[in-house]
């Protein structure tokens, strides 16, 4: 069977949401308890997140509606007040969105012709004369761990730490070098590689963020972004090797990338500690003691149901076939490619649509034989493209702050949690500087422990997980902003985006 061309998946709806920053540096905010819209928030959260629904788009403008995560729309009334609710007519709540060269947006009410503006606190639509007060800066609201896909070259950006460069040449985004952290500081973006280096204006990686690593970002609906230096230079792939660098003459839209959440790639190991791998084009067995590209699988999971699809680097999905054999020849919508997942202390158990559990046969092949799971049906699972975690919960990112000695869960800027695999499914959490996470008798955490503790990670979705802390409780986000491990059951506050 021939290898298929890797098909880039369109970004999920949650990856396309944005925050809108006013001229005063505050965010357009959905105020649920006041039935109004304000611009007072200083950070990007759920109430500051908007989905841009496009009905008509051209090069420099589009007709859009703004939808909050609560499902209600931004509405401009006849008297200039701005609220939220359900549109009453076909044009009610529609805005003419214009893209400006300075990376700003303006939103003009389609009915009244007035511009959406803010005084730094209130939001209204009263003026038809465009001014700086009508300018809004879009900020992508997706998780900061991202990949960049070039639709022109059909490749992903890849950091090369040995050369100190970034190339746009990865056909499949299964390597940790394809993942980047997108930092937003003082209105600019800094792109950090998995090895803690930053993309710069001079075609080489810097070890620290600075003015030379700061980029402006042009944002378009659909997840399209372009990075520029603010002085006419645009980032785009150049030369025969597609080096990502600044230039002034991109052709055919080379400067545009699709920005989306970094996908999860994993490896599976049997009880004999051999990697599950694709061999002979489409057979799946556990025979290799070495991790290869054919031992990597993209973990695609619907958070609404406990089923998972495993996509191989050859472009096909694992699927149960005749005689209970599992082959790497499935397609996305086939029912045989969906497996129900169960967890046992960090190890995953996969159940096929026939009700039988996947295990390793005597000849090493992956088969759906067992009616009840045992040790042979348990697989160790390790992240293949993530040497670290960045966790985002209901109230913000997990991180530390200079004013508090406890780890917080409501930060705008996250901390990296470096992962040290202990045994399959069990990790040590290491903070910046080499110290370890420690836990207090109250279930709170500090980032300067001397001894490594065991944390059990279980995947709950494509980019969702839970963490069982060393005290036996699930880690959760508390509304106070303090990270806690005190939950016996998995609740919404225990689910972490990563």
């Amino acid at each position: 069977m021939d290898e298929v061309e890797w098909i880039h998946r369109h970004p999920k709806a949650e990856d396309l949401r944005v925050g809108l920053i006013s001229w005063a540096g505050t965010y357009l905010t959905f105020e649920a308890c006041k039935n109004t819209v304000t611009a007072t928030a200083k950070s990007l959260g759920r109430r500051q997140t908007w989905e841009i629904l496009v009905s008509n788009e051209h090069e420099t403008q589009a007709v859009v509606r703004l939808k909050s995560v609560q499902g209600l729309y931004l509405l401009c009334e006849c008297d200039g007040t701005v609220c939220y609710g359900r549109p009453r007519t076909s044009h009610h709540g529609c805005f003419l969105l214009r893209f400006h060269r300075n990376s700003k947006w303006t939103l003009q009410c389609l009915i009244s012709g007035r511009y959406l503006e803010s005084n730094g606190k209130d939001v209204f639509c009263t003026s038809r004369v465009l001014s700086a007060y009508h300018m809004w800066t879009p900020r992508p609201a997706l998780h900061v761990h991202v990949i960049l896909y070039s639709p022109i070259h059909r490749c992903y950006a890849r950091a090369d730490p040995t050369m100190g460069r970034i190339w746009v040449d990865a056909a499949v985004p299964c390597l940790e070098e394809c993942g980047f952290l997108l930092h937003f500081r003082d209105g600019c973006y800094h792109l950090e590689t998995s090895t803690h280096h930053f993309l710069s204006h001079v075609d080489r990686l810097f070890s620290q963020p600075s003015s030379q690593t700061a980029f402006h970002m042009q944002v378009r609906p659909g997840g399209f972004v372009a990075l520029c230096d603010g002085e006419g230079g645009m980032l785009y792939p150049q030369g025969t090797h597609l080096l990502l660098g600044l230039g002034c003459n991109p052709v055919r839209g080379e400067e545009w990338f699709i920005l989306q959440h970094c996908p999860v790639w994993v490896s599976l190991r049997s009880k004999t500690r051999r990697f599950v791998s694709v061999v002979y084009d489409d057979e799946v067995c556990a025979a290799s003691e070495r991790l290869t590209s054919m031992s990597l699988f993209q973990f695609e999971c619907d958070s609404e149901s406990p089923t998972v699809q495993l996509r191989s680097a050859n472009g096909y999905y694992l699927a149960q076939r005749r005689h209970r054999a599992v082959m790497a020849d499935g397609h996305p919508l086939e029912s045989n490619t969906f497996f129900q997942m169960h967890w046992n202390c960090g190890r995953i158990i996969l159940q096929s649509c026939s009700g039988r559990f996947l295990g390793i046969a005597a000849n090493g092949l992956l088969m759906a034989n067992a009616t009840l799971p045992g040790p042979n049906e348990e697989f160790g699972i390790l992240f293949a493209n993530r040497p670290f975690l960045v966790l985002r919960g209901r109230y913000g990112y997990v991180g530390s702050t200079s004013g508090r000695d406890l780890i917080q869960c409501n930060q705008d800027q996250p901390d990296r949690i470096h992962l040290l695999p202990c045994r399959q499914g069990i990790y040590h959490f290491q903070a910046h500087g080499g110290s370890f996470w420690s836990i207090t008798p109250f279930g709170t955490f500090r980032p300067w422990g001397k001894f490594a503790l065991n944390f059990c990670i279980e995947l709950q979705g494509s980019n969702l997980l839970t963490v069982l802390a060393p005290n036996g409780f699930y880690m959760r986000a508390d509304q106070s902003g303090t990270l806690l491990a005190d939950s016996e059951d998995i609740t919404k506050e225990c689910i972490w985006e990563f």
Side-chain angles (χ1 to χ4, degrees):
M1 184 178 66
D2 295 331
E3 184 174 311
V4 299
E5 181 181 357
W6 183 262
I7 299 174
H8 173 78
R9 292 280 180 263
H10 192 269
K12 299 176 182 178
E14 55 264 30
D15 287 352
L16 303 178
R17 295 168 180 161
V18 300
L20 293 174
I21 308 172
S22 73
W23 63 271
T26 54
Y27 288 83
L28 186 70
T29 301
F30 173 95
E31 299 286 0
C33 59
K34 302 177 183 177
N35 191 29
T36 188
V37 176
T38 65
T40 56
K42 297 294 182 67
S43 61
L44 178 61
R46 286 177 56 81
R47 292 187 297 113
Q48 291 78 40
T49 300
W50 302 86
E51 186 177 350
I52 309 298
L53 303 178
V54 180
S55 59
N56 194 0
E57 183 174 3
H58 299 283
E59 287 188 4
T60 60
Q61 63 187 35
V63 177
V64 302
R65 277 193 168 105
L66 274 64
K67 184 180 179 182
S68 72
V69 293
Q70 290 80 7
L72 298 176
Y73 294 84
L74 187 74
L75 303 175
C76 178
E77 303 299 353
C78 298
D79 60 358
T81 60
V82 174
C83 60
Y84 59 83
R86 305 282 182 187
R88 295 188 296 273
T89 66
S90 60
H91 288 128
H92 191 211
C94 286
F95 293 86
L96 181 62
L97 168 61
R98 287 193 176 93
F99 313 117
H100 296 267
R101 297 177 66 88
N102 60 357
S103 303
K104 309 288 188 184
W105 286 2
T106 53
L107 290 154
Q108 187 179 21
C109 176
L110 210 59
I111 296 176
S112 68
R114 300 186 179 103
Y115 289 96
L116 185 73
E117 65 177 298
S118 168
N119 59 9
K121 180 181 177 183
D122 299 316
V123 177
F124 41 88
C125 262
T126 56
S127 176
R128 293 188 176 91
V129 180
L130 185 62
S131 73
Y133 295 104
H134 303 127
M135 297 289 176
W136 298 87
T137 302
R139 177 186 173 184
L142 80 172
H143 191 279
V144 297
H145 198 180
V146 299
I147 55 173
L148 292 165
Y149 175 72
S150 170
I152 296 295
H153 298 286
R154 296 184 180 180
C155 285
Y156 299 85
R158 173 186 63 88
D160 184 350
T162 58
M163 298 281 292
R165 302 287 192 271
I166 294 179
W167 314 95
V168 185
D169 63 357
V172 182
C174 60
L175 303 174
E176 67 179 67
E177 290 84 2
C178 294
F180 299 88
L181 291 185
L182 189 66
H183 299 281
F184 182 73
R185 296 173 182 168
D186 300 324
C188 292
Y189 294 87
H190 303 260
L191 201 64
E192 184 183 4
T193 71
S194 62
T195 57
H196 306 285
H197 292 86
F198 293 84
L199 177 66
S200 74
H201 297 178
V202 293
D203 296 347
R204 62 184 176 88
L205 300 179
F206 281 23
S207 59
Q208 297 291 333
S210 67
S211 59
Q212 285 291 296
T213 68
F215 291 89
H216 298 276
M217 180 183 286
Q218 296 183 19
V219 181
R220 297 289 186 272
F224 288 91
V225 300
L227 293 167
C228 57
D229 63 358
E231 298 177 358
M234 302 291 297
L235 270 178
Y236 58 94
Q238 301 178 37
T240 57
H241 296 291
L242 300 178
L243 171 67
L244 185 62
L246 278 175
C248 298
N249 298 300
V251 296
R252 298 185 299 123
E254 282 185 309
E255 72 275 22
W256 291 103
F257 291 86
I258 296 177
L259 183 74
Q260 63 188 109
H261 199 163
C262 183
V264 181
W265 286 78
V266 299
S267 62
L268 300 173
R269 295 180 83 172
S270 67
K271 70 173 184 178
T272 60
R273 301 188 64 79
R274 295 179 184 272
F275 289 101
V276 175
S277 307
V278 179
V279 297
Y280 306 120
D281 290 336
D282 58 3
E283 285 189 358
V284 185
C285 68
S288 176
E289 295 181 354
R290 291 178 55 251
L291 183 66
T292 69
S293 62
M294 298 312 294
S295 310
L296 305 181
F297 300 93
Q298 185 173 339
F299 193 93
E300 299 183 8
C301 182
D302 181 4
S303 59
E304 300 301 321
S305 63
T307 57
V308 62
Q309 290 179 293
L310 294 171
R311 188 185 188 192
S312 170
N314 69 1
Y316 290 99
Y317 290 81
L318 297 194
Q320 183 190 341
R321 295 308 186 199
R322 294 175 59 189
H323 308 298
R324 302 174 185 170
V326 176
M327 310 290 285
D329 62 356
H331 296 277
L333 299 180
E334 280 190 81
S335 60
N336 289 342
T337 65
F338 290 87
F339 299 91
Q340 191 168 3
M341 59 180 177
H342 311 271
W343 291 95
N344 183 21
C345 298
R347 300 174 70 85
I348 193 170
I349 301 167
L350 297 170
Q351 187 176 16
S352 70
C353 58
S354 68
R356 294 182 177 268
F357 295 89
L358 272 58
I360 305 301
N363 59 3
L365 292 178
L366 185 64
M367 307 284 288
N369 274 333
T371 55
L372 291 174
N376 190 53
E377 286 71 45
E378 292 183 357
F379 294 91
I381 184 167
L382 290 172
F383 293 123
N385 67 332
R386 272 173 167 75
F388 60 86
L389 288 180
V390 172
L391 298 180
R392 181 166 72 170
R394 291 179 64 81
Y395 309 112
Y397 287 100
V398 171
S400 52
T401 178
S402 58
R404 297 170 181 252
D405 65 342
L406 299 177
I407 296 176
Q408 303 295 298
C409 60
N410 61 352
Q411 301 298 292
D412 187 58
Q413 298 294 329
D415 286 351
R416 288 187 185 214
I417 305 169
H418 291 273
L419 295 175
L420 301 179
C422 174
R423 55 184 184 270
Q424 295 176 13
I426 307 297
Y427 292 87
H428 300 323
F429 283 8
Q430 192 174 38
H432 179 72
S435 59
F436 294 96
W437 274 36
S438 65
I439 189 167
T440 72
F442 306 103
T444 55
F445 296 92
R446 291 191 174 99
W448 53 69
K450 294 182 179 179
F451 305 102
L453 301 177
N454 292 340
F455 292 83
C456 178
I457 293 175
E458 296 179 352
L459 298 178
Q460 305 294 338
S462 292
N463 283 94
L464 302 173
L465 58 76
T466 53
V467 179
L468 194 62
N471 64 356
F473 292 97
Y474 285 101
M475 202 166 76
R476 71 172 181 89
D478 189 72
Q479 197 166 5
S480 67
T482 301
L483 183 67
L484 292 173
D486 63 358
S487 182
E488 295 182 1
D489 301 314
I490 297 176
T491 66
K492 289 183 179 180
E493 291 184 330
C494 299
I495 302 295
W496 299 95
E497 189 181 7
F498 72 103

